[in-house]
Amino acid sequence: MDTPRSRRRLTPPLLACLLLLPLLLDGLVVFQTYAVDVEVKDESNVSCLYAKWMLKLSIMYEGTDEYKTSTFMLPDDVSYVGTSCGNKTSGPVLSIEFGEGNSWAIHFTKTKDTYQGVTTFTYNTGDTVLFPDAKKKERVTVSTNFPANPVKLNTAFSCGTEDAVKSDNVTQTFLNVTLQAFLQDGRLSSQQTLCDNDVTMSTSSPVVGEARSAQLVSTAGTPDLNATGPSSPPSPSVPPEEKPGTGSYTVKSGEVTCLLANLGLQLNITQQIPLIINFNPNTTLASGHCGQTTAALQLSDGSKKVDFLFAVRNATSEKFYLKGVDIAIVGSKNATLSATNHSLNYWETTLGNSYLCRKEESIIVIPGYKVNIFDLKIQPFEVEEGQFSAAQECSLDDDTILIPIIVGAALAGLIVIIVTTYLIGRRKTYAGYQTL
Ligand SMILES: *[C@@H]1O[C@H](CO)[C@@H](O)[C@H](O)[C@H]1NC(C)=O
Ligand SMILES: *[C@@H]1O[C@H](CO)[C@@H](O)[C@H](O)[C@H]1NC(C)=O
Ligand SMILES: *[C@@H]1O[C@H](CO)[C@@H](O)[C@H](O)[C@H]1NC(C)=O
Ligand SMILES: *[C@@H]1O[C@H](CO)[C@@H](O)[C@H](O)[C@H]1NC(C)=O
Ligand SMILES: *[C@@H]1O[C@H](CO)[C@@H](O)[C@H](O)[C@H]1NC(C)=O
Ligand SMILES: *[C@@H]1O[C@H](CO)[C@@H](O)[C@H](O)[C@H]1NC(C)=O
Ligand SMILES: *[C@@H]1O[C@H](CO)[C@@H](O)[C@H](O)[C@H]1NC(C)=O
Ligand SMILES: *[C@@H]1O[C@H](CO)[C@@H](O)[C@H](O)[C@H]1NC(C)=O
Ligand SMILES: *[C@@H]1O[C@H](CO)[C@@H](O)[C@H](O)[C@H]1NC(C)=O
């Protein structure tokens, strides 16, 4: 949604390609739409900055007879004057102007291994739409770091929970953030740095998920531009309930493909509040090892990681099975969620075959940590020419067999009842004859 003005100004010195989804101030739509969804490119058309988030600004100001709070999402008629990839001495800048003399910018800097942004928000209490009845007409500038902690270089910062930054009279609440500055080769990294809220929320929050979701909904349902009152406390976003995408992964031993796996992967961590985390096959990397009697597949998507350990049951049984699963999720301050269990017993399959399961399978690693597997086809041993061997299907899949069995059982039951009824009836009749 480039306005002609922003496009004209941006193009000449540093070509910046911007994409902005409209932000509607309708409460329901706001939370399904990103206010900012921007990729900034340099003269050579290489992206240097990826930014996607919703931003709620809440400003306390002095009205004619009382203090007021103006709360609004970044409006959609913004201009990007000053947005650029920076130069040798300064990093990328995303700069937004909106309303009457208000501006919001974030400047990124980096160190040897981290990057961080500094936001500069200038608001004009003379803007009568955003600041009705302001006593003074003045411009005020506040500055804060965002993200609050430096982010590891070549990782994307991701935060699904609300991230509020306060400075003086202003609270900036970021929602659903995906952010990476100093992109390598113009591409968003598959490695993620999660905000601590996302990681610790599931272990330390005293409030149950339902209550928090409801609170989020009520915040979202405030459609008026000048809602008063302080901004609500952080609430986690409603986790994605959708199915994860199915990825195809391979592990090689030297040049030879030795493990094949197709699956969709989702974590369901319910320590205190539910945390559903999907692995995105587009950013998930596979590694592992293959051996005669053990094999491992490690899938990592940013800071989240799942290991699958396979073993051959014993030399004579000719079967392999899933023996272990390890889960680890690391937050920005190294807070870690993890679970390990190496005494599992799933997916038993005769060696030389692959294991196939079209239905969702849920593996309890340890209480509170579940791995949901979708559309699974896997072969950890004896892969020939990089192809799956004949598949053994999981019993869950046997709908086609199960239905006739159920119908058959029902029929058999019915016959037994009929025969019994008949026999009892006959006996009664017989008894009747006897008394005659
Ligand atoms: C955050 O983004 C995800 C997917 O990108 C979406 O499903 C979810 O609804 C968003 N959360 C909010 C609070 O809008
Ligand atoms: C930049 O890349 C986009 C798509 O990736 C392309 O449409 C556009 O023509 C490119 N512009 C220049 C100046 O190379
Ligand atoms: C915060 O707002 C009050 C009321 O408008 C004002 O008196 C005070 O100076 C503001 N603080 C800063 C740091 O701007
Ligand atoms: C680099 O960019 C900054 C801010 O955009 C500007 O002030 C500075 O003069 C630029 N330096 C060079 C060497 O172009
Ligand atoms: C996650 O686990 C909880 C607790 O076992 C369960 O109630 C919920 O349905 C699960 N959700 C998904 C998406 O698997
Ligand atoms: C993965 O990439 C494909 C093609 O680029 C895209 O259609 C799909 O939506 C992406 N999946 C996810 C989960 O981002
Ligand atoms: C191998 O496993 C099979 C079945 O799982 C078992 O009957 C057999 O005793 C085992 N053999 C050895 C040597 O452990
Ligand atoms: C996280 O751990 C890594 C490796 O152990 C360490 O290098 C890094 O400094 C830690 N980061 C923080 C923020 O503690
Ligand atoms: C590991 O999984 C097995 C099989 O599901 C289960 O019996 C065992 O309790 C689990 N171990 C832990 C530590 O939860």
Side-chain angles (χ1 to χ4, degrees):
M1 258 260 182
D2 268 354
T3 59
R5 180 174 156 230
S6 70
R7 184 170 294 159
R8 194 184 63 236
R9 300 257 190 112
L10 282 171
T11 312
L14 295 159
L15 187 85
C17 262
L18 298 163
L19 201 154
L20 180 81
L21 293 180
L23 170 78
L24 303 171
L25 284 168
D26 179 313
L28 275 175
V29 181
V30 160
F31 283 81
Q32 288 161 5
T33 315
Y34 284 101
V36 174
D37 186 348
V38 177
E39 216 172 320
V40 182
K41 301 189 175 190
D42 66 11
E43 317 81 321
S44 348
N45 217 6
V46 175
S47 300
C48 61
L49 173 65
Y50 180 95
K52 186 167 168 176
W53 60 64
M54 291 179 286
L55 177 56
K56 184 169 77 184
L57 295 165
S58 184
I59 302 123
M60 192 182 77
Y61 66 101
E62 203 177 346
T64 41
D65 34 50
E66 53 175 359
Y67 284 104
K68 293 192 155 201
T69 304
S70 174
T71 301
F72 55 93
M73 306 292 288
L74 266 192
D76 71 344
D77 53 342
V78 298
S79 126
Y80 292 104
V81 178
T83 295
S84 83
C85 279
N87 53 35
K88 284 208 178 65
T89 52
S90 81
V93 182
L94 176 64
S95 180
I96 292 171
E97 291 185 0
F98 61 94
E100 215 176 293
N102 308 292
S103 64
W104 189 92
I106 183 162
H107 293 245
F108 291 93
T109 53
K110 66 172 174 177
T111 65
K112 197 159 61 62
D113 6 72
T114 63
Y115 66 92
Q116 192 171 26
V118 177
T119 69
T120 311
F121 175 40
T122 301
Y123 57 96
N124 175 18
T125 54
D127 182 332
T128 50
V129 177
L130 295 177
F131 305 98
D133 300 328
K135 192 170 169 188
K136 287 177 272 183
K137 313 281 181 207
E138 59 184 357
R139 282 173 157 231
V140 183
T141 298
V142 293
S143 203
T144 52
N145 286 340
F146 184 79
N149 300 307
V151 181
K152 199 161 162 261
L153 264 186
N154 304 326
T155 69
F157 176 77
S158 163
C159 199
T161 45
E162 281 192 9
D163 206 350
V165 224
K166 281 195 182 161
S167 48
D168 302 328
N169 293 325
V170 177
T171 304
Q172 305 184 35
T173 308
F174 290 84
L175 297 136
N176 247 6
V177 180
T178 305
L179 161 70
Q180 191 179 351
F182 306 101
L183 292 171
Q184 211 176 24
D185 308 322
R187 290 173 49 184
L188 192 65
S189 173
S190 61
Q191 300 297 307
Q192 275 178 316
T193 298
L194 290 188
C195 62
D196 280 299
N197 257 358
D198 278 8
V199 170
T200 52
M201 204 47 100
S202 72
T203 50
S204 63
S205 171
V207 187
V208 296
E210 279 73 13
R212 291 189 157 244
S213 307
Q215 188 176 44
L216 183 71
V217 169
S218 69
T219 317
T222 312
D224 54 331
L225 192 64
N226 299 300
T228 50
S231 91
S232 58
S235 345
S237 60
V238 184
E241 282 294 333
E242 74 224 29
K243 215 177 127 170
T246 306
S248 291
Y249 309 104
T250 56
V251 176
K252 289 189 173 186
S253 168
E255 292 292 290
V256 183
T257 299
C258 60
L259 185 153
L260 293 169
N262 294 346
L263 72 151
L265 181 57
Q266 182 178 68
L267 301 179
N268 180 356
I269 301 176
T270 46
Q271 289 285 81
Q272 298 231 353
I273 64 159
L275 191 62
I276 305 283
I277 302 171
N278 284 350
F279 276 56
N280 178 351
N282 295 349
T283 52
T284 298
L285 300 174
S287 59
H289 73 80
C290 302
Q292 283 296 316
T293 54
T294 60
L297 170 66
Q298 175 171 94
L299 296 179
S300 56
D301 185 7
S303 56
K304 39 190 196 283
K305 215 167 55 181
V306 173
D307 291 340
F308 296 93
L309 309 172
F310 300 90
V312 173
R313 210 172 273 296
N314 63 36
T316 48
S317 79
E318 309 260 290
K319 302 232 181 201
F320 72 80
Y321 68 108
L322 176 71
K323 186 176 194 296
V325 171
D326 300 334
I327 300 173
I329 306 170
V330 183
S332 61
K333 279 197 231 139
N334 286 352
T336 305
L337 284 176
S338 65
T340 289
N341 191 334
H342 289 188
S343 357
L344 301 175
N345 188 7
Y346 287 91
W347 307 348
E348 187 176 89
T349 309
T350 306
L351 278 171
N353 289 287
S354 59
Y355 177 81
L356 177 74
C357 202
R358 294 192 184 90
K359 286 207 176 159
E360 176 181 347
E361 279 189 291
S362 200
I363 295 175
I364 300 169
V365 180
I366 58 171
Y369 288 78
K370 271 197 284 197
V371 173
N372 295 336
I373 311 282
F374 299 79
D375 301 317
L376 174 71
K377 187 166 192 187
I378 194 156
Q379 187 170 351
F381 297 102
E382 301 185 6
V383 171
E384 281 172 15
E385 290 168 6
Q387 302 288 320
F388 280 109
S389 308
Q392 278 182 7
E393 286 201 42
C394 61
S395 45
L396 281 175
D397 274 356
D398 295 345
D399 255 2
T400 42
I401 293 175
L402 212 59
I403 290 164
I405 287 176
I406 291 168
V407 172
L411 278 177
L414 204 62
I415 290 167
V416 168
I417 291 167
I418 291 169
V419 169
T420 316
T421 322
Y422 171 75
L423 286 177
I424 291 170
R426 242 184 77 128
R427 184 167 295 168
K428 268 197 183 143
T429 326
Y430 184 68
Y433 276 124
Q434 263 204 333
T435 51
L436 260 179

